[in-house]
Amino acid sequence: MWSRLVASRILRLSSNNFVADFPSMSLEDSSLEHPYLDLESKESETSVFTEKKETRKIFVSTWNVGGVAPADDLDMEDLLDTCNTPCDIYVLGFQEVVPLRTANVLGLDNKKVCKKWNCLIKKTLNRKTGGNRAAAKSSSLQLQEFRCLISKQMVGIFISIWVRGDLHPYVRNPNVSCVGCGIMGCLGNKGSVSIRFRLHETSFCFVCSHLASGGRVGDEKLRNSNVTDIFSRTSFPRGPTPRMPGKIIDHARVILLGDLNYRISLSDAETRSLVGENEWDLLMVNDQLKKELMDDQALEGWHEGAINFAPTYKYYPNSESYYGTDPGKKGEKKRAPAWCDRILWYGEGLKQHLYTRSESMLSDHRPVKAIFSCQVKVLQTVGGYRSFFLSERFENEITSSSLEIPNTRQSI
Protein backbone atom coordinates (compact mmCIF):
# COMPACT_ATOMS: atom_id res chain seq x y z
CA MET A 1 0.00 0.00 0.00
CA TRP A 2 2.67 2.52 1.06
CA SER A 3 4.88 1.57 -1.88
CA ARG A 4 2.05 2.35 -4.29
CA LEU A 5 1.42 5.71 -2.61
CA VAL A 6 5.11 6.59 -2.77
CA ALA A 7 5.38 5.56 -6.41
CA SER A 8 2.28 7.56 -7.30
CA ARG A 9 3.65 10.62 -5.53
CA ILE A 10 6.99 10.36 -7.30
CA LEU A 11 5.33 10.04 -10.70
CA ARG A 12 3.24 13.11 -10.06
CA LEU A 13 6.26 15.10 -8.95
CA SER A 14 8.30 14.10 -11.98
CA SER A 15 5.89 15.72 -14.43
CA ASN A 16 6.25 19.27 -15.70
CA ASN A 17 2.64 19.47 -16.86
CA PHE A 18 1.34 21.16 -13.72
CA VAL A 19 -1.93 23.02 -13.61
CA ALA A 20 -2.43 25.99 -11.31
CA ASP A 21 -4.60 25.35 -8.26
CA PHE A 22 -6.07 28.85 -8.44
CA PRO A 23 -5.78 30.07 -12.04
CA SER A 24 -6.02 33.64 -13.18
CA MET A 25 -9.45 33.33 -14.73
CA SER A 26 -11.25 33.26 -11.40
CA LEU A 27 -10.21 32.94 -7.78
CA GLU A 28 -13.68 31.88 -6.69
CA ASP A 29 -14.01 29.11 -9.29
CA SER A 30 -10.75 27.23 -9.00
CA SER A 31 -11.91 24.57 -11.45
CA LEU A 32 -11.33 26.89 -14.40
CA GLU A 33 -8.09 26.56 -16.26
CA HIS A 34 -6.22 29.43 -17.91
CA PRO A 35 -5.83 28.40 -21.56
CA TYR A 36 -2.49 28.81 -23.23
CA LEU A 37 -2.86 31.71 -25.66
CA ASP A 38 -0.37 32.16 -28.44
CA LEU A 39 -0.59 35.92 -28.20
CA GLU A 40 2.58 36.54 -30.14
CA SER A 41 1.04 35.03 -33.27
CA LYS A 42 -1.58 37.80 -33.31
CA GLU A 43 0.84 40.52 -34.36
CA SER A 44 -0.29 42.50 -37.33
CA GLU A 45 2.02 42.10 -40.30
CA THR A 46 1.71 45.77 -41.18
CA SER A 47 2.25 47.22 -37.69
CA VAL A 48 5.42 49.07 -36.77
CA PHE A 49 6.57 48.85 -33.15
CA THR A 50 9.01 50.70 -30.97
CA GLU A 51 10.17 49.66 -27.54
CA LYS A 52 10.12 51.64 -24.32
CA LYS A 53 10.72 50.79 -20.66
CA GLU A 54 8.37 51.18 -17.74
CA THR A 55 9.17 50.77 -14.05
CA ARG A 56 7.15 48.30 -11.96
CA LYS A 57 7.20 47.68 -8.22
CA ILE A 58 7.16 44.12 -6.91
CA PHE A 59 6.37 43.02 -3.37
CA VAL A 60 7.82 39.65 -2.30
CA SER A 61 7.34 37.84 1.01
CA THR A 62 8.16 34.46 2.51
CA TRP A 63 6.65 32.92 5.62
CA ASN A 64 6.94 29.50 7.23
CA VAL A 65 3.60 29.26 9.02
CA GLY A 66 4.46 26.04 10.85
CA GLY A 67 1.38 24.10 9.79
CA VAL A 68 -0.92 26.62 11.49
CA ALA A 69 -4.06 27.54 9.54
CA PRO A 70 -4.85 31.27 9.55
CA ALA A 71 -7.77 32.60 11.53
CA ASP A 72 -10.67 34.06 9.57
CA ASP A 73 -9.92 37.52 10.96
CA LEU A 74 -6.13 37.43 10.43
CA ASP A 75 -5.02 40.92 9.41
CA MET A 76 -2.31 40.73 6.74
CA GLU A 77 -1.89 44.49 6.41
CA ASP A 78 1.24 44.47 8.59
CA LEU A 79 2.83 42.11 6.08
CA LEU A 80 1.52 43.62 2.84
CA ASP A 81 1.54 47.28 3.95
CA THR A 82 -0.65 48.27 1.01
CA CYS A 83 -1.45 51.75 2.34
CA ASN A 84 2.13 53.02 2.53
CA THR A 85 3.88 51.08 -0.24
CA PRO A 86 1.44 50.05 -2.99
CA CYS A 87 3.02 47.76 -5.59
CA ASP A 88 2.08 46.44 -9.02
CA ILE A 89 2.77 42.75 -8.35
CA TYR A 90 2.53 40.82 -5.07
CA VAL A 91 4.34 37.50 -4.65
CA LEU A 92 3.64 35.60 -1.44
CA GLY A 93 5.45 32.37 -0.64
CA PHE A 94 4.58 30.08 2.26
CA GLN A 95 6.14 26.98 3.73
CA GLU A 96 4.43 24.37 5.91
CA VAL A 97 0.92 25.55 5.07
CA VAL A 98 0.00 22.06 6.26
CA PRO A 99 1.81 19.99 8.92
CA LEU A 100 4.53 17.85 7.30
CA ARG A 101 3.05 14.57 8.48
CA THR A 102 3.34 11.39 6.44
CA ALA A 103 -0.30 11.56 5.36
CA ASN A 104 0.18 15.07 3.96
CA VAL A 105 3.48 14.24 2.25
CA LEU A 106 2.17 11.09 0.52
CA GLY A 107 -1.51 11.96 0.19
CA LEU A 108 -3.42 14.45 -1.90
CA ASP A 109 -2.74 18.12 -1.20
CA ASN A 110 -5.26 19.76 1.11
CA LYS A 111 -6.17 22.90 -0.80
CA LYS A 112 -8.64 24.29 1.75
CA VAL A 113 -5.91 26.07 3.70
CA CYS A 114 -4.41 27.62 0.56
CA LYS A 115 -7.82 28.87 -0.54
CA LYS A 116 -8.17 30.48 2.87
CA TRP A 117 -4.79 32.20 2.49
CA ASN A 118 -5.80 33.43 -0.96
CA CYS A 119 -9.06 34.83 0.37
CA LEU A 120 -7.18 36.73 3.09
CA ILE A 121 -4.69 38.07 0.53
CA LYS A 122 -7.49 39.17 -1.77
CA LYS A 123 -9.34 40.86 1.08
CA THR A 124 -6.24 42.80 2.14
CA LEU A 125 -5.08 43.84 -1.33
CA ASN A 126 -8.53 45.01 -2.36
CA ARG A 127 -9.56 46.60 0.92
CA LYS A 128 -11.35 49.88 0.27
CA THR A 129 -11.46 52.02 3.38
CA GLY A 130 -12.41 55.67 3.46
CA GLY A 131 -8.79 56.71 3.77
CA ASN A 132 -7.75 54.60 0.83
CA ARG A 133 -10.50 56.04 -1.34
CA ALA A 134 -9.35 59.57 -0.57
CA ALA A 135 -5.75 58.72 -1.37
CA ALA A 136 -6.83 56.88 -4.51
CA LYS A 137 -8.00 60.12 -6.09
CA SER A 138 -4.36 61.02 -6.63
CA SER A 139 -3.10 57.48 -7.24
CA SER A 140 -4.50 55.29 -10.01
CA LEU A 141 -2.49 52.45 -8.46
CA GLN A 142 -4.95 52.11 -5.60
CA LEU A 143 -7.99 52.20 -7.87
CA GLN A 144 -7.07 48.89 -9.46
CA GLU A 145 -8.46 45.62 -8.18
CA PHE A 146 -5.78 42.99 -7.70
CA ARG A 147 -6.34 39.62 -9.32
CA CYS A 148 -4.75 36.28 -8.60
CA LEU A 149 -2.60 35.52 -11.61
CA ILE A 150 -1.68 32.01 -10.52
CA SER A 151 -0.98 30.09 -7.32
CA LYS A 152 0.25 26.58 -6.64
CA GLN A 153 0.69 24.20 -3.71
CA MET A 154 3.07 21.25 -3.34
CA VAL A 155 2.53 19.60 0.06
CA GLY A 156 3.50 22.46 2.44
CA ILE A 157 5.01 24.84 -0.15
CA PHE A 158 2.58 27.39 -1.53
CA ILE A 159 3.11 30.42 -3.76
CA SER A 160 0.47 32.95 -4.78
CA ILE A 161 1.01 35.79 -7.30
CA TRP A 162 -1.31 38.78 -7.65
CA VAL A 163 -1.23 41.55 -10.24
CA ARG A 164 -3.00 44.85 -10.64
CA GLY A 165 -6.13 44.49 -12.72
CA ASP A 166 -4.95 46.75 -15.54
CA LEU A 167 -1.71 44.74 -15.88
CA HIS A 168 -3.44 41.37 -15.92
CA PRO A 169 -4.15 41.36 -19.71
CA TYR A 170 -0.46 41.97 -20.43
CA VAL A 171 0.70 38.77 -18.72
CA ARG A 172 1.49 35.85 -21.03
CA ASN A 173 2.94 32.34 -20.86
CA PRO A 174 2.22 31.55 -17.18
CA ASN A 175 3.70 28.18 -16.21
CA VAL A 176 4.44 26.21 -13.05
CA SER A 177 7.21 23.71 -12.28
CA CYS A 178 7.50 21.75 -9.03
CA VAL A 179 10.59 19.95 -7.75
CA GLY A 180 10.54 17.65 -4.72
CA CYS A 181 13.80 17.28 -2.77
CA GLY A 182 12.49 15.76 0.45
CA ILE A 183 12.10 12.13 1.49
CA MET A 184 14.07 9.84 -0.85
CA GLY A 185 15.31 12.98 -2.59
CA CYS A 186 12.09 13.48 -4.49
CA LEU A 187 9.04 13.97 -2.26
CA GLY A 188 7.51 17.37 -1.76
CA ASN A 189 8.02 17.98 1.95
CA LYS A 190 11.11 19.90 0.77
CA GLY A 191 11.80 21.41 -2.63
CA SER A 192 10.37 24.26 -4.69
CA VAL A 193 7.40 25.56 -6.60
CA SER A 194 8.42 27.93 -9.40
CA ILE A 195 6.13 30.22 -11.37
CA ARG A 196 7.18 32.07 -14.47
CA PHE A 197 5.41 34.44 -16.86
CA ARG A 198 6.06 37.26 -19.28
CA LEU A 199 4.86 40.77 -18.43
CA HIS A 200 4.81 42.77 -21.65
CA GLU A 201 8.21 41.79 -23.17
CA THR A 202 10.08 40.87 -19.94
CA SER A 203 10.20 37.38 -18.43
CA PHE A 204 9.90 36.78 -14.68
CA CYS A 205 10.52 33.69 -12.55
CA PHE A 206 9.71 33.34 -8.84
CA VAL A 207 11.00 30.31 -6.95
CA CYS A 208 9.41 29.48 -3.59
CA SER A 209 11.59 26.98 -1.72
CA HIS A 210 11.84 24.99 1.49
CA LEU A 211 15.31 23.49 1.84
CA ALA A 212 16.72 20.77 4.09
CA SER A 213 16.65 21.57 7.81
CA GLY A 214 19.26 20.87 10.46
CA GLY A 215 21.72 22.82 12.54
CA ARG A 216 24.55 20.32 12.70
CA VAL A 217 27.92 20.86 11.11
CA GLY A 218 27.72 19.90 7.44
CA ASP A 219 23.93 20.24 7.11
CA GLU A 220 24.46 23.28 4.90
CA LYS A 221 25.78 20.88 2.24
CA LEU A 222 22.33 19.27 2.08
CA ARG A 223 20.84 22.67 1.46
CA ASN A 224 23.39 23.39 -1.26
CA SER A 225 22.45 20.06 -2.86
CA ASN A 226 18.77 21.02 -2.76
CA VAL A 227 19.57 24.31 -4.51
CA THR A 228 21.52 22.52 -7.22
CA ASP A 229 18.66 20.06 -7.75
CA ILE A 230 16.08 22.83 -7.97
CA PHE A 231 18.06 24.78 -10.56
CA SER A 232 18.82 21.70 -12.66
CA ARG A 233 15.45 19.94 -12.45
CA THR A 234 13.11 22.90 -12.81
CA SER A 235 12.04 23.29 -16.42
CA PHE A 236 9.32 25.16 -18.30
CA PRO A 237 7.81 24.61 -21.76
CA ARG A 238 9.21 27.03 -24.31
CA GLY A 239 5.86 27.48 -26.03
CA PRO A 240 5.29 28.15 -29.74
CA THR A 241 8.25 30.53 -29.97
CA PRO A 242 11.85 30.19 -28.74
CA ARG A 243 11.61 33.41 -26.74
CA MET A 244 10.51 31.96 -23.38
CA PRO A 245 13.35 30.46 -21.31
CA GLY A 246 13.24 26.86 -20.19
CA LYS A 247 15.39 27.15 -17.04
CA ILE A 248 15.17 29.36 -13.95
CA ILE A 249 18.24 31.53 -14.38
CA ASP A 250 17.57 32.17 -18.07
CA HIS A 251 14.66 34.48 -17.22
CA ALA A 252 15.23 38.23 -17.21
CA ARG A 253 14.06 38.79 -13.60
CA VAL A 254 14.51 35.96 -11.08
CA ILE A 255 13.70 35.97 -7.36
CA LEU A 256 14.26 33.09 -4.92
CA LEU A 257 12.29 33.19 -1.68
CA GLY A 258 11.61 30.75 1.11
CA ASP A 259 12.68 28.98 4.25
CA LEU A 260 16.18 28.28 3.00
CA ASN A 261 17.12 26.96 6.46
CA TYR A 262 20.73 28.21 6.47
CA ARG A 263 22.01 28.69 10.03
CA ILE A 264 24.73 30.59 11.90
CA SER A 265 28.01 28.70 12.33
CA LEU A 266 28.53 29.62 15.98
CA SER A 267 27.80 27.85 19.24
CA ASP A 268 24.33 28.19 20.70
CA ALA A 269 25.62 30.36 23.54
CA GLU A 270 27.61 32.69 21.24
CA THR A 271 24.67 33.09 18.87
CA ARG A 272 22.18 33.90 21.63
CA SER A 273 24.59 36.37 23.24
CA LEU A 274 25.14 38.28 19.99
CA VAL A 275 21.41 38.24 19.19
CA GLY A 276 20.72 39.73 22.61
CA GLU A 277 23.12 42.57 21.80
CA ASN A 278 21.69 43.13 18.29
CA GLU A 279 25.10 42.44 16.77
CA TRP A 280 23.77 41.60 13.33
CA ASP A 281 27.03 42.31 11.50
CA LEU A 282 29.05 39.93 13.71
CA LEU A 283 26.43 37.25 13.28
CA MET A 284 26.37 37.76 9.51
CA VAL A 285 30.09 37.01 9.30
CA ASN A 286 29.16 33.46 10.34
CA ASP A 287 25.92 33.16 8.42
CA GLN A 288 26.02 30.07 6.18
CA LEU A 289 24.03 31.60 3.33
CA LYS A 290 26.20 34.72 3.20
CA LYS A 291 29.24 32.47 2.95
CA GLU A 292 27.65 30.54 0.08
CA LEU A 293 26.89 33.78 -1.75
CA MET A 294 30.50 34.93 -1.31
CA ASP A 295 32.01 31.58 -2.33
CA ASP A 296 30.05 31.50 -5.62
CA GLN A 297 29.27 27.80 -5.45
CA ALA A 298 25.64 26.64 -5.55
CA LEU A 299 24.41 30.26 -5.55
CA GLU A 300 26.88 31.83 -7.94
CA GLY A 301 25.61 35.15 -9.26
CA TRP A 302 22.84 35.54 -6.68
CA HIS A 303 22.40 38.66 -4.53
CA GLU A 304 20.86 39.51 -1.18
CA GLY A 305 20.23 42.85 0.46
CA ALA A 306 21.72 43.90 3.80
CA ILE A 307 20.04 42.30 6.81
CA ASN A 308 19.28 44.78 9.58
CA PHE A 309 16.65 42.83 11.46
CA ALA A 310 16.62 40.12 14.12
CA PRO A 311 16.80 36.42 13.19
CA THR A 312 13.41 35.08 12.12
CA TYR A 313 13.70 31.60 13.64
CA LYS A 314 12.93 29.93 16.06
CA TYR A 315 10.27 31.46 18.34
CA TYR A 316 7.76 30.01 20.71
CA PRO A 317 4.42 30.39 18.91
CA ASN A 318 2.44 33.45 20.05
CA SER A 319 5.55 34.74 21.81
CA GLU A 320 8.39 37.20 21.36
CA SER A 321 10.84 34.76 23.00
CA TYR A 322 13.25 32.58 21.07
CA TYR A 323 12.95 28.82 21.50
CA GLY A 324 15.14 27.42 24.28
CA THR A 325 14.94 30.46 26.55
CA ASP A 326 12.24 29.14 28.88
CA PRO A 327 13.96 27.62 31.93
CA GLY A 328 10.75 25.82 32.82
CA LYS A 329 10.88 23.67 29.70
CA LYS A 330 13.65 21.18 30.32
CA GLY A 331 14.84 18.77 27.68
CA GLU A 332 14.07 21.05 24.72
CA LYS A 333 16.23 20.63 21.65
CA LYS A 334 18.67 23.46 21.14
CA ARG A 335 17.47 25.58 18.22
CA ALA A 336 19.71 28.63 18.08
CA PRO A 337 18.24 31.75 16.41
CA ALA A 338 18.93 32.01 12.67
CA TRP A 339 17.92 33.88 9.53
CA CYS A 340 16.26 30.89 7.89
CA ASP A 341 13.81 32.95 5.86
CA ARG A 342 15.43 34.80 2.96
CA ILE A 343 14.81 36.55 -0.35
CA LEU A 344 17.49 36.54 -3.08
CA TRP A 345 17.61 37.75 -6.66
CA TYR A 346 19.63 36.85 -9.73
CA GLY A 347 21.15 38.91 -12.52
CA GLU A 348 20.59 42.53 -13.46
CA GLY A 349 17.44 44.60 -13.66
CA LEU A 350 16.17 44.39 -10.07
CA LYS A 351 16.71 47.08 -7.43
CA GLN A 352 15.78 46.33 -3.83
CA HIS A 353 14.22 49.16 -1.80
CA LEU A 354 13.09 47.26 1.31
CA TYR A 355 14.24 44.13 3.11
CA THR A 356 12.78 43.55 6.55
CA ARG A 357 10.59 41.29 8.65
CA SER A 358 7.05 41.50 9.99
CA GLU A 359 6.01 40.68 13.53
CA SER A 360 3.15 38.22 13.23
CA MET A 361 3.40 35.59 15.98
CA LEU A 362 1.30 32.96 14.20
CA SER A 363 4.17 30.46 13.95
CA ASP A 364 7.74 29.85 15.09
CA HIS A 365 9.01 31.92 12.13
CA ARG A 366 8.61 35.62 11.42
CA PRO A 367 7.62 36.66 7.87
CA VAL A 368 10.24 38.38 5.70
CA LYS A 369 9.36 40.85 2.96
CA ALA A 370 11.10 42.84 0.26
CA ILE A 371 10.14 45.45 -2.32
CA PHE A 372 11.87 45.68 -5.70
CA SER A 373 11.61 48.00 -8.65
CA CYS A 374 12.44 46.79 -12.14
CA GLN A 375 12.19 47.96 -15.70
CA VAL A 376 9.83 46.17 -18.06
CA LYS A 377 10.12 46.32 -21.84
CA VAL A 378 6.90 47.50 -23.46
CA LEU A 379 6.05 47.52 -27.16
CA GLN A 380 4.13 50.45 -28.56
CA THR A 381 2.91 51.24 -32.02
CA VAL A 382 4.14 54.27 -33.89
CA GLY A 383 0.61 55.64 -33.78
CA GLY A 384 0.45 55.48 -29.99
CA TYR A 385 0.80 53.23 -26.98
CA ARG A 386 -1.08 50.02 -27.51
CA SER A 387 -0.10 46.41 -26.90
CA PHE A 388 -0.25 44.40 -30.11
CA PHE A 389 -1.92 41.42 -28.48
CA LEU A 390 -4.88 43.61 -27.42
CA SER A 391 -5.60 44.60 -31.03
CA GLU A 392 -9.16 44.56 -32.38
CA ARG A 393 -8.30 41.51 -34.42
CA PHE A 394 -7.24 39.59 -31.32
CA GLU A 395 -10.24 40.78 -29.27
CA ASN A 396 -12.65 39.70 -32.03
CA GLU A 397 -11.05 36.26 -32.27
CA ILE A 398 -11.27 35.74 -28.50
CA THR A 399 -14.91 36.91 -28.43
CA SER A 400 -15.94 34.60 -31.25
CA SER A 401 -14.17 31.50 -29.91
CA SER A 402 -14.89 29.43 -26.82
CA LEU A 403 -12.20 28.88 -24.20
CA GLU A 404 -11.83 25.13 -23.79
CA ILE A 405 -10.50 23.62 -20.60
CA PRO A 406 -7.53 21.38 -21.37
CA ASN A 407 -7.80 17.66 -20.57
CA THR A 408 -4.27 17.37 -19.23
CA ARG A 409 -5.08 18.32 -15.63
CA GLN A 410 -2.61 16.89 -13.17
CA SER A 411 -2.33 17.70 -9.52
CA ILE A 412 0.34 16.96 -7.00
Side-chain angles (χ1 to χ4, degrees):
M1 177 63 180
W2 283 111
S3 61
R4 289 199 298 271
L5 283 173
V6 172
S8 175
R9 193 63 160 175
I10 293 172
L11 288 173
R12 288 200 297 270
L13 285 171
S14 64
S15 172
N16 287 321
N17 188 20
F18 292 101
V19 174
D21 295 325
F22 306 96
S24 57
M25 297 292 287
S26 171
L27 174 61
E28 289 75 21
D29 183 4
S30 61
S31 65
L32 290 175
E33 301 301 343
H34 188 47
Y36 186 87
L37 301 178
D38 179 15
L39 300 173
E40 294 180 356
S41 66
K42 308 300 178 182
E43 181 176 355
S44 170
E45 295 179 358
T46 60
S47 297
V48 178
F49 300 102
T50 60
E51 186 179 278
K52 71 172 185 177
K53 294 183 178 179
E54 295 182 352
T55 300
R56 301 298 182 198
K57 290 178 67 177
I58 304 172
F59 173 95
V60 181
S61 72
T62 179
W63 191 4
N64 185 321
V65 294
V68 180
D72 293 335
D73 60 350
L74 177 66
D75 188 355
M76 298 190 67
E77 180 58 34
D78 176 63
L79 176 62
L80 297 175
D81 197 17
T82 57
C83 294
N84 296 319
T85 54
C87 295
D88 303 289
I89 300 172
Y90 286 81
V91 180
L92 294 95
F94 301 87
Q95 302 80 43
E96 297 190 44
V97 289
V98 296
L100 299 184
R101 296 190 292 260
T102 303
N104 289 328
V105 174
L106 295 178
L108 295 175
D109 292 330
N110 180 359
K111 296 179 172 56
K112 292 182 179 179
V113 175
C114 293
K115 288 182 179 180
K116 194 170 185 179
W117 279 113
N118 263 350
C119 288
L120 289 169
I121 296 167
K122 179 182 181 181
K123 178 181 177 182
T124 304
L125 289 179
N126 293 319
R127 181 178 293 156
K128 298 294 188 296
T129 65
N132 280 345
R133 286 187 181 277
K137 292 181 180 180
S138 60
S139 173
S140 61
L141 212 60
Q142 296 184 10
L143 289 171
Q144 298 295 333
E145 290 281 342
F146 281 87
R147 299 178 60 185
C148 182
L149 171 66
I150 192 170
S151 65
K152 183 63 185 174
Q153 176 191 5
M154 180 183 74
V155 188
I157 303 173
F158 174 58
I159 182 171
S160 185
I161 298 183
W162 296 70
V163 299
R164 247 178 42 226
D166 61 328
L167 290 180
H168 195 273
Y170 299 93
V171 177
R172 294 172 284 160
N173 307 106
N175 292 109
V176 181
S177 181
C178 301
V179 172
C181 300
I183 300 170
M184 298 185 298
C186 59
L187 294 187
N189 56 309
K190 295 292 189 292
S192 68
V193 179
S194 302
I195 292 178
R196 72 89 175 267
F197 57 86
R198 181 185 293 276
L199 175 60
H200 289 288
E201 300 307 305
T202 301
S203 61
F204 290 81
C205 185
F206 299 93
V207 184
C208 181
S209 302
H210 193 183
L211 305 185
S213 61
R216 296 173 299 181
V217 175
D219 282 344
E220 67 275 13
K221 295 179 181 178
L222 296 175
R223 295 182 268 277
N224 293 345
S225 178
N226 287 169
V227 170
T228 301
D229 279 351
I230 289 168
F231 291 164
S232 63
R233 291 166 52 193
T234 298
S235 63
F236 300 99
R238 291 186 176 275
T241 70
R243 298 183 63 189
M244 284 303 291
K247 308 300 289 185
I248 289 174
I249 61 174
D250 293 333
H251 291 77
R253 312 283 184 261
V254 187
I255 295 178
L256 170 66
L257 56 136
D259 180 0
L260 306 187
N261 255 321
Y262 286 95
R263 309 303 170 90
I264 299 170
S265 298
L266 292 173
S267 67
D268 181 86
E270 288 178 290
T271 300
R272 292 182 188 276
S273 175
L274 291 172
V275 168
E277 297 170 1
N278 294 348
E279 293 285 359
W280 312 142
D281 291 340
L282 292 178
L283 287 164
M284 271 291 130
V285 172
N286 295 280
D287 179 78
Q288 293 175 350
L289 180 54
K290 286 296 186 185
K291 290 183 177 180
E292 294 300 327
L293 291 170
M294 292 175 63
D295 291 344
D296 284 339
Q297 297 298 318
L299 289 161
E300 181 179 1
W302 288 81
H303 308 280
E304 183 182 26
I307 291 181
N308 296 307
F309 51 87
T312 56
Y313 172 87
K314 173 179 171 66
Y315 286 88
Y316 291 114
N318 300 309
S319 169
E320 294 182 354
S321 300
Y322 284 107
Y323 194 83
T325 57
D326 188 344
K329 296 184 178 182
K330 297 182 179 179
E332 287 184 332
K333 293 181 179 179
K334 293 293 183 180
R335 302 284 179 85
W339 286 281
C340 290
D341 311 280
R342 313 288 275 266
I343 298 172
L344 313 178
W345 73 92
Y346 181 83
E348 304 297 329
L350 287 164
K351 182 179 180 181
Q352 191 178 70
H353 300 277
L354 175 75
Y355 193 28
T356 187
R357 58 178 247 175
S358 295
E359 298 306 322
S360 172
M361 294 185 283
L362 178 70
S363 77
D364 55 351
H365 290 248
R366 294 293 187 265
V368 170
K369 59 185 177 180
I371 292 178
F372 298 88
S373 64
C374 70
Q375 288 189 327
V376 176
K377 297 178 181 179
V378 178
L379 288 182
Q380 60 181 351
T381 61
V382 172
Y385 175 73
R386 187 178 186 184
S387 180
F388 67 87
F389 58 87
L390 290 183
S391 64
E392 292 180 3
R393 173 188 169 189
F394 175 68
E395 291 174 352
N396 292 337
E397 290 186 13
I398 289 297
T399 303
S400 62
S401 63
S402 61
L403 299 180
E404 297 181 354
I405 298 177
N407 297 322
T408 56
R409 169 186 288 272
Q410 294 189 27
S411 61
I412 60 171

